[in-house]
Amino acid sequence: MSHPEQPGSVPPYPAQQYPAQPYPAQPYPGQPVYPGQPVYPGQPVYPYAYAPEPGTNVLAIVSLVSAFFVSLVAIITGHIALSQIKRTGEKGRGLALAGLIIGYAGIAIGAAFIILWLTLVFAIMSHGIAVSGTSA
């Protein structure tokens, strides 16, 4: 329903027009304006952003994963990863240590297996020579 204008009624107010500002609004006192950075009224200006959180060292991950397949690679990458983590502050120290521990354990188990295998082979060979020498 529309109401016809009655005599003596006041027309609605027109939208208020603000003059365009020749310069952008200034930030809070004491804060610089950087080129190319738009500044809007009422918006605080922060000159510096937070530094990104350091990620996990890739060699630490490689060390842990390779510990289950190639122990020597795990040991080498684990030591390099610990050095990088100490220098850069990245995450992953626990992964690198786990890779080193499992890698060294794998080397020790492999060495023990080889020693046991060689002992058995030499025992069988020495027993076989003694037996074959007495048969007539």
Side-chain angles (χ1 to χ4, degrees):
M1 294 174 70
S2 65
H3 297 287
E5 278 196 42
Q6 298 179 0
S9 68
V10 179
Y13 292 106
Q16 192 172 10
Q17 302 275 334
Y18 294 102
Q21 295 180 352
Y23 301 104
Q26 295 299 317
Y28 295 109
Q31 291 185 339
V33 177
Y34 298 102
Q37 179 183 11
V39 179
Y40 302 102
Q43 179 185 12
V45 177
Y46 301 107
Y48 303 106
Y50 290 107
E53 187 174 317
T56 304
N57 187 289
V58 174
L59 286 179
I61 297 170
V62 170
S63 174
L64 181 61
V65 171
S66 65
F68 296 103
F69 303 107
V70 184
S71 296
L72 186 59
V73 173
I75 292 169
I76 293 169
T77 56
H79 281 292
I80 295 171
L82 283 177
S83 170
Q84 289 179 354
I85 290 168
K86 187 176 182 180
R87 188 179 68 241
T88 63
E90 289 177 304
K91 292 182 179 180
R93 184 173 188 274
L95 296 174
L97 287 174
L100 280 172
I101 292 168
I102 296 171
Y104 278 122
I107 293 286
I109 291 170
F113 177 75
I114 290 173
I115 291 170
L116 179 65
W117 184 78
L118 288 175
T119 304
L120 289 174
V121 167
F122 287 132
I124 291 172
M125 287 177 59
S126 66
H127 181 66
I129 292 173
V131 171
S132 65
T134 58
S135 65

